[in-house]
Protein backbone atom coordinates (compact mmCIF):
# COMPACT_ATOMS: atom_id res chain seq x y z
CA UNK A 1 0.00 0.00 0.00
CA UNK A 2 1.25 3.48 -0.79
CA UNK A 3 2.14 6.00 1.91
CA UNK A 4 -0.67 8.29 0.82
CA UNK A 5 -3.37 5.66 1.22
CA UNK A 6 -5.88 7.24 3.60
CA UNK A 7 -7.14 3.78 4.53
CA UNK A 8 -3.91 2.46 6.03
CA UNK A 9 -5.26 3.10 9.50
CA UNK A 10 -8.49 1.22 8.89
CA UNK A 11 -6.59 -1.73 7.38
CA UNK A 12 -4.82 -2.15 10.70
CA UNK A 13 -8.19 -2.61 12.43
CA UNK A 14 -8.84 -5.89 10.56
CA UNK A 15 -7.59 -9.37 11.14
CA UNK A 16 -6.79 -10.90 7.75
CA UNK A 17 -4.55 -13.89 7.04
CA UNK A 18 -1.12 -12.87 5.74
CA UNK A 19 -0.72 -13.07 2.00
CA UNK A 20 -4.40 -13.56 1.26
CA UNK A 21 -6.01 -11.36 -1.39
CA UNK A 22 -9.56 -11.01 -0.12
CA UNK A 23 -11.90 -9.78 -2.84
CA UNK A 24 -15.08 -11.14 -1.28
CA UNK A 25 -15.93 -8.56 1.35
CA UNK A 26 -19.11 -7.95 -0.64
CA UNK A 27 -20.27 -11.41 0.40
CA UNK A 28 -18.77 -11.80 3.87
CA UNK A 29 -16.88 -8.84 5.29
CA UNK A 30 -13.52 -9.41 6.99
CA UNK A 31 -13.17 -9.69 10.76
CA UNK A 32 -12.53 -6.42 12.63
CA UNK A 33 -10.00 -7.13 15.39
CA UNK A 34 -12.18 -5.63 18.12
CA UNK A 35 -15.04 -8.09 17.58
CA UNK A 36 -13.60 -11.11 19.38
CA UNK A 37 -12.79 -9.25 22.60
CA UNK A 38 -16.13 -7.49 22.60
CA UNK A 39 -18.18 -10.64 22.12
CA UNK A 40 -16.21 -12.51 24.75
CA UNK A 41 -16.69 -9.60 27.18
CA UNK A 42 -20.44 -9.68 26.57
CA UNK A 43 -20.42 -13.44 27.12
CA UNK A 44 -18.32 -13.51 30.26
CA UNK A 45 -19.21 -10.23 31.99
CA UNK A 46 -22.74 -9.50 30.85
CA UNK A 47 -24.22 -12.95 30.28
CA UNK A 48 -21.95 -14.76 32.72
CA UNK A 49 -22.09 -12.33 35.65
CA UNK A 50 -25.26 -10.30 35.19
CA UNK A 51 -27.38 -13.06 33.67
CA UNK A 52 -30.94 -11.91 33.00
CA UNK A 53 -30.29 -8.57 34.68
CA UNK A 54 -28.14 -7.64 31.68
CA UNK A 55 -31.26 -6.93 29.63
CA UNK A 56 -31.49 -3.76 31.74
CA UNK A 57 -28.05 -3.24 33.24
CA UNK A 58 -26.11 -3.81 30.01
CA UNK A 59 -28.78 -2.20 27.84
CA UNK A 60 -29.45 -5.33 25.77
CA UNK A 61 -33.07 -4.38 25.28
CA UNK A 62 -32.12 -1.17 23.46
CA UNK A 63 -29.31 -2.66 21.38
CA UNK A 64 -31.40 -3.04 18.18
CA UNK A 65 -32.21 0.64 18.24
CA UNK A 66 -28.73 1.81 19.22
CA UNK A 67 -27.06 -0.30 16.53
CA UNK A 68 -29.83 0.72 14.12
CA UNK A 69 -28.88 4.37 14.62
CA UNK A 70 -25.25 3.53 13.82
CA UNK A 71 -26.24 1.78 10.61
CA UNK A 72 -28.63 4.64 9.90
CA UNK A 73 -25.76 7.12 9.82
CA UNK A 74 -24.20 5.15 6.96
CA UNK A 75 -27.36 5.16 4.84
CA UNK A 76 -28.72 8.66 5.46
CA UNK A 77 -31.44 7.57 7.88
CA UNK A 78 -32.30 9.88 10.79
CA UNK A 79 -31.91 8.62 14.37
CA UNK A 80 -34.77 6.39 15.44
CA UNK A 81 -35.74 5.29 11.92
CA UNK A 82 -33.77 2.03 11.68
CA UNK A 83 -33.98 -1.12 13.75
CA UNK A 84 -32.10 -4.41 13.67
CA UNK A 85 -32.95 -8.07 13.82
CA UNK A 86 -33.78 -11.26 11.95
CA UNK A 87 -32.40 -11.87 8.48
CA UNK A 88 -32.72 -9.74 5.39
CA UNK A 89 -35.25 -12.16 3.87
CA UNK A 90 -37.56 -11.50 6.86
CA UNK A 91 -37.07 -7.75 6.59
CA UNK A 92 -37.96 -7.84 2.87
CA UNK A 93 -41.16 -9.69 3.75
CA UNK A 94 -42.08 -7.17 6.45
CA UNK A 95 -41.45 -4.14 4.26
CA UNK A 96 -43.39 -5.59 1.36
CA UNK A 97 -46.35 -6.75 3.46
CA UNK A 98 -46.67 -3.31 5.06
CA UNK A 99 -46.36 -1.57 1.70
CA UNK A 100 -49.04 -3.69 0.03
CA UNK A 101 -51.47 -2.91 2.83
CA UNK A 102 -51.00 0.78 2.21
CA UNK A 103 -52.15 0.34 -1.41
CA UNK A 104 -55.15 -1.98 -1.00
CA UNK A 105 -56.54 -1.25 -4.47
CA UNK A 106 -53.38 -2.15 -6.35
CA UNK A 107 -52.10 -5.63 -7.13
CA UNK A 108 -48.66 -5.35 -8.72
CA UNK A 109 -45.25 -5.68 -7.08
CA UNK A 110 -42.63 -4.49 -9.55
CA UNK A 111 -39.10 -5.85 -9.39
CA UNK A 112 -36.30 -6.76 -11.76
CA UNK A 113 -34.25 -9.72 -12.92
CA UNK A 114 -31.23 -8.23 -11.16
CA UNK A 115 -32.84 -8.68 -7.79
CA UNK A 116 -31.49 -11.32 -5.44
CA UNK A 117 -33.63 -14.47 -5.60
CA UNK A 118 -34.61 -14.48 -1.93
CA UNK A 119 -36.27 -11.07 -2.35
CA UNK A 120 -38.37 -12.49 -5.19
CA UNK A 121 -39.06 -15.72 -3.29
CA UNK A 122 -40.29 -13.80 -0.24
CA UNK A 123 -42.60 -11.78 -2.48
CA UNK A 124 -43.94 -14.99 -4.04
CA UNK A 125 -44.58 -16.47 -0.59
CA UNK A 126 -46.32 -13.34 0.63
CA UNK A 127 -48.54 -13.23 -2.45
CA UNK A 128 -49.59 -16.85 -1.85
CA UNK A 129 -50.34 -16.18 1.82
CA UNK A 130 -52.37 -13.06 1.06
CA UNK A 131 -54.37 -14.90 -1.60
CA UNK A 132 -55.64 -11.62 -3.00
CA UNK A 133 -54.41 -11.96 -6.54
CA UNK A 134 -51.22 -9.93 -6.32
CA UNK A 135 -48.75 -10.26 -9.16
CA UNK A 136 -44.97 -10.12 -9.00
CA UNK A 137 -43.91 -8.40 -12.22
CA UNK A 138 -40.21 -8.92 -12.93
CA UNK A 139 -38.68 -6.92 -15.77
CA UNK A 140 -35.15 -6.31 -17.01
CA UNK A 141 -33.32 -3.70 -14.90
CA UNK A 142 -33.29 -1.24 -17.79
CA UNK A 143 -37.06 -1.62 -18.20
CA UNK A 144 -38.01 -0.82 -14.60
CA UNK A 145 -38.54 2.88 -15.09
CA UNK A 146 -40.95 2.44 -18.00
CA UNK A 147 -42.84 -0.31 -16.14
CA UNK A 148 -43.80 1.92 -13.20
CA UNK A 149 -47.47 2.75 -13.67
CA UNK A 150 -50.62 3.20 -11.63
CA UNK A 151 -51.24 -0.53 -11.28
CA UNK A 152 -48.10 -0.84 -9.17
CA UNK A 153 -48.47 -0.96 -5.39
CA UNK A 154 -44.78 -1.29 -4.58
CA UNK A 155 -41.51 -1.10 -6.47
CA UNK A 156 -39.08 -3.46 -4.77
CA UNK A 157 -35.51 -3.19 -6.01
CA UNK A 158 -31.99 -3.96 -4.93
CA UNK A 159 -29.91 -0.89 -5.65
CA UNK A 160 -26.76 -2.82 -6.64
CA UNK A 161 -27.19 -5.94 -8.77
CA UNK A 162 -25.52 -8.81 -6.91
CA UNK A 163 -24.24 -10.36 -10.13
CA UNK A 164 -23.09 -7.46 -12.28
CA UNK A 165 -22.81 -4.62 -9.77
CA UNK A 166 -25.10 -2.45 -11.92
CA UNK A 167 -26.35 0.49 -9.86
CA UNK A 168 -29.93 1.74 -9.99
CA UNK A 169 -30.65 5.46 -9.75
CA UNK A 170 -32.40 5.45 -6.40
CA UNK A 171 -33.46 9.09 -6.49
CA UNK A 172 -34.95 9.00 -9.99
CA UNK A 173 -36.73 5.66 -9.57
CA UNK A 174 -38.15 6.63 -6.18
CA UNK A 175 -39.46 9.85 -7.67
CA UNK A 176 -41.08 7.98 -10.56
CA UNK A 177 -42.55 5.45 -8.10
CA UNK A 178 -44.13 8.18 -6.01
CA UNK A 179 -45.43 10.02 -9.07
CA UNK A 180 -47.33 6.82 -9.93
CA UNK A 181 -48.69 6.65 -6.38
CA UNK A 182 -46.69 3.56 -5.46
CA UNK A 183 -44.29 2.85 -2.58
CA UNK A 184 -40.54 2.37 -2.93
CA UNK A 185 -38.73 -0.46 -1.13
CA UNK A 186 -34.96 -0.44 -1.51
CA UNK A 187 -32.72 -3.38 -0.68
CA UNK A 188 -29.32 -1.98 0.29
CA UNK A 189 -27.53 -5.33 0.79
CA UNK A 190 -24.73 -4.31 -1.58
CA UNK A 191 -24.95 -0.58 -0.86
CA UNK A 192 -24.62 -0.11 2.90
CA UNK A 193 -20.94 0.49 3.59
CA UNK A 194 -20.18 0.26 -0.14
CA UNK A 195 -21.22 3.69 -1.35
CA UNK A 196 -22.90 6.86 -0.11
CA UNK A 197 -26.63 6.29 0.36
CA UNK A 198 -29.23 8.83 1.44
CA UNK A 199 -32.49 6.96 2.04
CA UNK A 200 -34.22 9.96 3.58
CA UNK A 201 -33.00 12.33 0.88
CA UNK A 202 -34.10 9.92 -1.85
CA UNK A 203 -37.52 9.62 -0.21
CA UNK A 204 -37.43 5.82 0.10
CA UNK A 205 -40.45 4.49 1.97
CA UNK A 206 -38.72 1.35 3.19
CA UNK A 207 -35.10 0.25 3.05
CA UNK A 208 -33.64 -3.05 4.17
CA UNK A 209 -30.24 -4.66 4.12
CA UNK A 210 -27.87 -7.11 5.69
CA UNK A 211 -24.81 -6.31 7.78
CA UNK A 212 -22.48 -9.23 7.06
CA UNK A 213 -21.34 -7.88 3.67
CA UNK A 214 -19.69 -4.43 3.61
CA UNK A 215 -20.54 -3.76 7.27
CA UNK A 216 -18.45 -6.72 8.51
CA UNK A 217 -20.91 -7.88 11.17
CA UNK A 218 -20.03 -11.58 10.74
CA UNK A 219 -21.85 -14.57 9.24
CA UNK A 220 -25.60 -14.31 9.79
CA UNK A 221 -25.32 -10.84 11.38
CA UNK A 222 -28.72 -9.20 12.00
CA UNK A 223 -30.43 -7.32 9.18
CA UNK A 224 -31.70 -3.74 9.28
CA UNK A 225 -34.95 -2.11 8.30
CA UNK A 226 -35.67 1.57 7.76
CA UNK A 227 -39.17 2.98 7.56
CA UNK A 228 -39.65 6.62 6.53
CA UNK A 229 -40.78 8.80 9.39
CA UNK A 230 -44.39 9.61 8.57
CA UNK A 231 -45.08 5.99 7.57
CA UNK A 232 -43.40 4.33 10.53
CA UNK A 233 -46.21 5.29 12.90
CA UNK A 234 -48.98 4.05 10.63
CA UNK A 235 -47.82 0.84 8.96
CA UNK A 236 -49.15 -2.42 10.29
CA UNK A 237 -46.39 -4.94 10.98
CA UNK A 238 -47.16 -8.27 9.32
CA UNK A 239 -45.03 -10.13 11.84
CA UNK A 240 -46.57 -8.85 15.05
CA UNK A 241 -44.12 -10.23 17.59
CA UNK A 242 -43.90 -9.20 21.21
CA UNK A 243 -40.72 -7.15 20.83
CA UNK A 244 -42.57 -4.94 18.33
CA UNK A 245 -45.42 -4.46 20.82
CA UNK A 246 -45.85 -1.07 22.43
CA UNK A 247 -45.39 -2.62 25.88
CA UNK A 248 -43.80 -6.08 25.60
CA UNK A 249 -43.56 -6.50 29.34
CA UNK A 250 -47.17 -5.60 30.00
CA UNK A 251 -47.93 -9.05 28.55
CA UNK A 252 -51.26 -7.92 27.14
CA UNK A 253 -53.24 -10.55 25.25
CA UNK A 254 -53.71 -8.28 22.22
CA UNK A 255 -51.12 -6.80 19.93
CA UNK A 256 -50.57 -3.05 19.83
CA UNK A 257 -47.66 -1.87 17.68
CA UNK A 258 -44.86 0.16 19.22
CA UNK A 259 -44.46 3.67 17.89
CA UNK A 260 -42.16 4.19 14.94
CA UNK A 261 -39.80 1.64 13.44
CA UNK A 262 -39.61 -0.33 16.71
CA UNK A 263 -42.79 -2.06 15.54
CA UNK A 264 -40.67 -3.86 12.95
CA UNK A 265 -38.90 -5.78 15.69
CA UNK A 266 -40.23 -9.32 16.03
CA UNK A 267 -38.82 -11.52 18.81
CA UNK A 268 -35.92 -11.56 21.24
CA UNK A 269 -32.93 -9.78 19.70
CA UNK A 270 -29.72 -11.79 19.04
CA UNK A 271 -27.52 -10.06 21.58
CA UNK A 272 -24.22 -11.80 20.79
CA UNK A 273 -24.61 -11.09 17.09
CA UNK A 274 -25.59 -7.48 17.77
CA UNK A 275 -22.57 -7.05 20.04
CA UNK A 276 -20.31 -8.35 17.25
CA UNK A 277 -21.90 -5.95 14.77
CA UNK A 278 -21.70 -3.05 17.22
CA UNK A 279 -17.95 -3.62 17.61
CA UNK A 280 -17.56 -4.03 13.84
CA UNK A 281 -19.24 -0.68 13.27
CA UNK A 282 -16.49 1.07 15.24
CA UNK A 283 -14.26 0.89 12.15
CA UNK A 284 -16.68 3.26 10.38
CA UNK A 285 -16.28 6.05 12.94
CA UNK A 286 -15.03 9.17 11.21
CA UNK A 287 -15.10 7.54 7.77
CA UNK A 288 -16.29 9.69 4.89
CA UNK A 289 -18.44 7.58 2.53
CA UNK A 290 -17.47 9.82 -0.40
CA UNK A 291 -13.83 8.91 0.24
CA UNK A 292 -14.78 5.21 0.41
CA UNK A 293 -16.58 5.57 -2.91
CA UNK A 294 -13.66 7.34 -4.58
CA UNK A 295 -11.24 4.68 -3.36
CA UNK A 296 -13.57 1.84 -4.33
CA UNK A 297 -13.80 3.20 -7.87
CA UNK A 298 -10.04 3.60 -8.03
CA UNK A 299 -9.48 -0.02 -6.93
CA UNK A 300 -12.17 -1.40 -9.27
CA UNK A 301 -10.75 0.52 -12.23
CA UNK A 302 -7.26 -0.68 -11.41
CA UNK A 303 -8.45 -4.29 -11.32
CA UNK A 304 -10.24 -4.01 -14.68
CA UNK A 305 -7.23 -2.31 -16.28
CA UNK A 306 -4.80 -4.93 -15.01
CA UNK A 307 -6.99 -7.89 -16.02
CA UNK A 308 -7.64 -6.45 -19.46
CA UNK A 309 -3.98 -5.74 -20.08
CA UNK A 310 -3.29 -9.48 -19.90
CA UNK A 311 -6.58 -11.12 -20.93
CA UNK A 312 -8.31 -8.57 -23.17
CA UNK A 313 -10.96 -11.07 -24.28
CA UNK A 314 -12.36 -11.73 -20.82
CA UNK A 315 -15.87 -10.29 -20.87
CA UNK A 316 -16.64 -7.59 -18.30
CA UNK A 317 -20.12 -8.23 -16.89
CA UNK A 318 -20.20 -4.96 -14.95
CA UNK A 319 -20.93 -1.51 -16.35
CA UNK A 320 -17.77 0.04 -17.82
CA UNK A 321 -18.71 3.41 -16.33
CA UNK A 322 -17.71 3.19 -12.64
CA UNK A 323 -20.41 5.66 -11.63
CA UNK A 324 -22.94 3.08 -12.82
CA UNK A 325 -21.75 0.21 -10.65
CA UNK A 326 -21.46 -0.56 -6.96
CA UNK A 327 -18.28 -1.68 -5.21
CA UNK A 328 -17.77 -4.88 -7.20
CA UNK A 329 -16.48 -5.93 -10.59
CA UNK A 330 -17.64 -9.07 -12.38
CA UNK A 331 -16.35 -10.95 -15.36
CA UNK A 332 -18.07 -13.67 -17.36
CA UNK A 333 -16.42 -16.97 -18.16
CA UNK A 334 -18.25 -20.17 -19.19
CA UNK A 335 -16.07 -22.10 -16.71
CA UNK A 336 -16.20 -19.34 -14.11
CA UNK A 337 -16.70 -21.81 -11.27
CA UNK A 338 -13.51 -23.76 -12.00
CA UNK A 339 -11.51 -20.59 -12.65
CA UNK A 340 -12.65 -19.20 -9.30
CA UNK A 341 -11.68 -22.41 -7.51
CA UNK A 342 -8.21 -22.20 -9.05
CA UNK A 343 -7.93 -18.59 -7.90
CA UNK A 344 -9.01 -19.46 -4.39
CA UNK A 345 -6.44 -22.27 -4.30
CA UNK A 346 -3.80 -19.61 -5.00
CA UNK A 347 -5.00 -17.28 -2.25
CA UNK A 348 -7.19 -14.90 -4.22
CA UNK A 349 -10.70 -15.04 -2.82
CA UNK A 350 -13.62 -13.96 -4.98
CA UNK A 351 -16.81 -15.86 -5.65
CA UNK A 352 -18.89 -17.36 -8.40
CA UNK A 353 -22.55 -16.73 -9.18
CA UNK A 354 -24.33 -19.02 -11.61
CA UNK A 355 -24.35 -19.31 -14.52
CA UNK A 356 -21.03 -17.67 -15.49
CA UNK A 357 -20.16 -14.77 -13.19
CA UNK A 358 -16.83 -14.37 -11.41
CA UNK A 359 -17.34 -11.67 -8.83
CA UNK A 360 -14.77 -9.49 -7.07
CA UNK A 361 -15.60 -7.05 -4.30
CA UNK A 362 -13.61 -3.96 -3.37
CA UNK A 363 -13.55 -2.92 0.26
CA UNK A 364 -11.32 0.13 0.73
CA UNK A 365 -11.26 -0.19 4.51
CA UNK A 366 -8.99 -3.20 4.28
CA UNK A 367 -7.90 -3.61 0.66
CA UNK A 368 -4.95 -1.92 -1.02
CA UNK A 369 -3.63 -1.44 -4.53
CA UNK A 370 -0.90 -4.06 -4.20
CA UNK A 371 -3.46 -6.74 -3.40
CA UNK A 372 -5.67 -5.66 -6.29
CA UNK A 373 -2.70 -5.80 -8.67
CA UNK A 374 -1.65 -9.18 -7.39
CA UNK A 375 -5.20 -10.58 -7.62
CA UNK A 376 -5.50 -9.41 -11.22
CA UNK A 377 -2.09 -10.84 -12.14
CA UNK A 378 -2.92 -14.27 -10.69
CA UNK A 379 -6.33 -14.31 -12.43
CA UNK A 380 -4.67 -13.43 -15.73
CA UNK A 381 -2.02 -16.09 -15.27
CA UNK A 382 -4.55 -18.80 -14.39
CA UNK A 383 -6.53 -17.99 -17.53
CA UNK A 384 -3.50 -17.75 -19.79
CA UNK A 385 -1.99 -21.04 -18.64
CA UNK A 386 -5.35 -22.84 -18.38
CA UNK A 387 -4.40 -24.33 -15.03
CA UNK A 388 -8.01 -23.95 -13.82
CA UNK A 389 -8.98 -26.86 -16.08
CA UNK A 390 -8.87 -29.83 -13.70
CA UNK A 391 -11.59 -32.15 -12.34
CA UNK A 392 -10.87 -30.96 -8.80
CA UNK A 393 -11.59 -27.32 -9.66
CA UNK A 394 -14.81 -28.28 -11.44
CA UNK A 395 -16.21 -30.11 -8.43
CA UNK A 396 -19.00 -28.00 -6.94
CA UNK A 397 -19.18 -27.13 -3.26
CA UNK A 398 -22.52 -26.43 -1.57
CA UNK A 399 -21.72 -22.76 -1.18
CA UNK A 400 -20.24 -21.16 -4.28
C1 LIG B 1 -27.17 -11.05 0.46
C2 LIG B 1 -28.56 -10.70 0.07
C3 LIG B 1 -29.67 -11.29 0.72
C4 LIG B 1 -29.49 -12.36 1.75
O1 LIG B 1 -30.62 -12.48 2.57
P1 LIG B 1 -30.48 -13.23 3.97
O2 LIG B 1 -31.86 -13.33 4.48
O3 LIG B 1 -29.60 -12.39 4.83
O4 LIG B 1 -29.86 -14.56 3.73
C5 LIG B 1 -30.92 -10.86 0.35
N1 LIG B 1 -31.11 -9.93 -0.61
C6 LIG B 1 -30.07 -9.36 -1.26
C7 LIG B 1 -30.32 -8.34 -2.32
C8 LIG B 1 -28.76 -9.75 -0.96
O5 LIG B 1 -27.74 -9.23 -1.62
Amino acid sequence: MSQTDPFRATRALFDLPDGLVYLDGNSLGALPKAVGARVSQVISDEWGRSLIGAWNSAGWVDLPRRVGDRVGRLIGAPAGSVTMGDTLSIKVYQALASALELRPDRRVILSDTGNFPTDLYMAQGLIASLGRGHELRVVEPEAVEAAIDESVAAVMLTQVDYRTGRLHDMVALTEKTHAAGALAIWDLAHSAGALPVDVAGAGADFAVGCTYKYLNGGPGAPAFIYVAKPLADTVRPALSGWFGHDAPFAFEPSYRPASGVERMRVGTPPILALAALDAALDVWEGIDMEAVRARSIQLGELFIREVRAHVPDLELASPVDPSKRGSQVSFRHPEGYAVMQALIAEGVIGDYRAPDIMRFGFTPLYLGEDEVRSGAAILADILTTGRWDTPAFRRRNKVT
Side-chain angles (χ1 to χ4, degrees):
M1 252 179 254
S2 74
Q3 289 297 321
T4 55
D5 182 352
F7 292 106
R8 269 163 55 109
T10 57
R11 171 70 181 84
L13 300 174
F14 287 86
D15 189 0
L16 278 160
D18 281 341
L20 194 76
V21 175
Y22 194 64
L23 305 179
D24 215 358
N26 54 313
S27 205
L28 178 66
L31 170 66
K33 286 176 182 164
V35 168
R38 174 67 177 286
V39 172
S40 78
Q41 181 255 326
V42 170
I43 290 175
S44 48
D45 297 355
E46 298 180 5
W47 179 15
R49 301 272 72 80
S50 302
L51 292 150
I52 197 148
W55 283 104
N56 292 311
S57 64
W60 286 355
V61 71
D62 295 321
L63 208 49
R65 186 185 188 108
R66 210 166 55 68
V67 174
D69 282 347
R70 300 190 77 187
V71 171
R73 282 198 289 278
L74 297 171
I75 60 166
S81 62
V82 175
T83 194
M84 310 299 301
D86 316 299
T87 66
L88 176 49
S89 303
I90 302 278
K91 279 3 219 178
V92 167
Y93 188 92
Q94 286 181 289
L96 188 58
S98 287
L100 293 183
E101 252 185 56
L102 293 168
R103 292 293 179 274
D105 301 333
R106 299 187 178 197
R107 289 289 179 277
V108 175
I109 302 161
L110 180 66
S111 193
D112 70 12
T113 54
N115 209 343
F116 193 79
T118 199
D119 296 46
L120 303 178
Y121 301 162
M122 294 310 283
Q124 290 159 10
L126 175 61
I127 288 170
S129 296
L130 291 174
R132 295 179 52 229
H134 284 93
E135 174 203 341
L136 175 61
R137 194 172 289 164
V138 180
V139 301
E140 291 298 313
E142 298 71 25
V144 168
E145 192 178 349
I148 301 172
D149 61 27
E150 296 191 352
S151 68
V152 175
V155 178
M156 178 185 80
L157 297 170
T158 296
Q159 189 190 16
V160 178
D161 186 313
Y162 75 105
R163 284 201 190 98
T164 64
R166 180 220 18 84
L167 185 63
H168 270 311
D169 184 339
M170 192 166 158
V171 172
L173 288 174
T174 302
E175 213 173 275
K176 180 96 198 273
T177 298
H178 288 163
L183 291 151
I185 302 169
W186 286 98
D187 189 327
L188 304 177
H190 294 276
S191 309
L195 43 103
V197 179
D198 184 1
V199 284
D205 298 295
F206 299 86
V208 294
C210 52
T211 60
Y212 47 79
K213 292 172 181 162
Y214 293 92
L215 297 180
N216 314 307
F224 65 83
I225 183 165
Y226 159 84
V227 185
K229 278 285 190 190
L231 278 186
D233 281 321
T234 57
V235 292
R236 193 188 70 84
L239 303 176
S240 40
W242 72 309
F243 266 88
H245 191 283
D246 192 40
F249 288 86
F251 296 104
E252 295 168 9
S254 297
Y255 183 77
R256 277 191 296 119
S259 65
V261 75
E262 295 281 293
R263 65 184 57 195
M264 291 301 181
R265 290 175 61 170
V266 183
T268 306
I271 297 303
L272 300 181
L274 280 166
L277 173 59
D278 195 27
L281 289 171
D282 288 349
V283 301
W284 294 96
E285 288 299 322
I287 297 290
D288 172 10
M289 282 311 299
E290 296 290 348
V292 170
R293 177 66 170 156
R295 181 70 172 156
S296 143
I297 287 177
Q298 191 190 338
L299 295 175
E301 291 289 276
L302 174 65
F303 188 71
I304 293 173
R305 220 166 36 239
E306 296 283 310
V307 170
R308 290 200 147 167
H310 301 286
V311 272
D313 293 339
L314 192 63
E315 184 190 344
L316 183 67
S318 300
V320 177
D321 176 354
S323 73
K324 300 250 177 344
R325 60 175 193 255
S327 199
Q328 69 176 71
V329 166
S330 303
F331 288 98
R332 288 186 205 283
H333 189 286
E335 295 292 341
Y337 181 81
V339 176
M340 187 54 75
Q341 293 312 301
L343 258 178
I344 293 169
E346 297 188 29
V348 180
I349 317 293
D351 60 20
Y352 165 80
R353 288 294 174 262
D356 59 358
I357 295 276
M358 297 190 291
R359 191 170 71 153
F360 303 93
F362 299 92
T363 47
L365 263 50
Y366 53 84
L367 190 69
E369 283 175 23
D370 292 349
E371 289 157 308
V372 170
R373 273 204 191 85
S374 137
I378 295 172
L379 171 61
D381 199 52
I382 283 172
L383 287 167
T384 313
T385 60
R387 65 178 178 270
W388 56 267
D389 194 3
T390 72
F393 290 144
R394 289 170 188 269
R395 197 172 308 125
R396 299 275 169 126
N397 288 317
K398 256 192 189 170
V399 175
T400 63

